[in-house]
């Protein structure tokens, strides 16, 4: 039996977690079920992750690192639009579509609450990288609250993914970025 030390083992584990979350939801997910689905021994999983929340958090960290690189198109508008589109796709069709179910349990589990904080922090870091490059290119003059900008960008994506279960269309991503940039330029 393979171990999660190599990419194949880790990929199988994370794929099993996502498959089981999609099929049955967070409440029904068990480490034993992940072991069966992934073909990795249950004791190996427990050696790496102490409990279900830690395993799920690791899976989302892995998915985000793989699926959400920070774009560098050469312009602030291009970077923000590409970032917003990738986040919308992640929450609509990617592993992020399962996030609402998982994050609904943050009140009952400190590990999942840390994951939610980490995901938001990572998004803010991504926006900060984009605005930092824009400042270096001279596209942004004056102060911009990167955390607030990040929240304004992610809010509509999250609203659509979690509340309406509809993806943010590419045209809406462009319109949202244009509206925010107009506000930044006039503010």
């Amino acid at each position: 039996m393979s171990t999660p030390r190599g990419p194949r083992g880790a990929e199988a584990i994370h794929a099993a977690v996502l498959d089981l979350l999609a099929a049955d939801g967070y409440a029904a997910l068990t480490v034993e079920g992940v072991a069966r689905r992934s073909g990795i021994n249950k004791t190996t999983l427990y050696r790496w992750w102490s409990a279900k929340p830690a395993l799920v958090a690791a899976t989302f960290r892995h998915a985000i690192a793989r699926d959400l690189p920070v774009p560098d198109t050469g312009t602030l508008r291009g970077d923000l639009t590409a970032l917003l589109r990738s986040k919308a796709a992640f929450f609509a069709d990617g592993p992020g579509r399962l996030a609402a179910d998982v994050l609904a349990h943050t009140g009952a589990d400190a590990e999942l609450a840390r994951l939610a904080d980490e995901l938001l922090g990572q998004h803010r870091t991504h926006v900060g990288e984009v605005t930092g490059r824009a400042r270096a290119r001279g596209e942004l003059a004056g102060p911009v609250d990167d955390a607030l900008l990040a929240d304004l960008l992610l809010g509509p994506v999250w609203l659509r993914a979690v509340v309406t279960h509809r993806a943010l269309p590419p045209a809406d991503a462009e319109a949202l970025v244009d509206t925010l940039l107009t506000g930044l330029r006039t503010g």
Side-chain angles (χ1 to χ4, degrees), residues 26 53-54 56-57 102-103 105-106 109-117:
Y26 180 79
V56 171
V102 171
L103 296 178
H105 297 271
T106 58
D109 188 274
E111 179 76 25
L112 293 180
R114 280 190 299 278
L115 174 64
D117 289 343

Side-chain angles (χ1 to χ4, degrees), residues 24 36 60 71-72 99 111 113 126 130 133 136 144 156 160 180 182:
D24 302 319
R36 276 191 304 277
F60 276 96
D72 188 357
E111 179 76 25
H126 290 171
V130 167
R133 287 193 307 259
V144 173
R160 294 211 182 184
L180 289 173
T182 298

Side-chain angles (χ1 to χ4, degrees), residues 64-71 83 86 126:
I64 287 168
R66 183 191 65 214
D67 295 344
L68 293 174
V70 181
L83 184 65
S86 71
H126 290 171

Side-chain angles (χ1 to χ4, degrees), residues 12 16 29 48 90 115 117:
L29 181 80
W48 282 82
F90 182 79
L115 174 64
D117 289 343

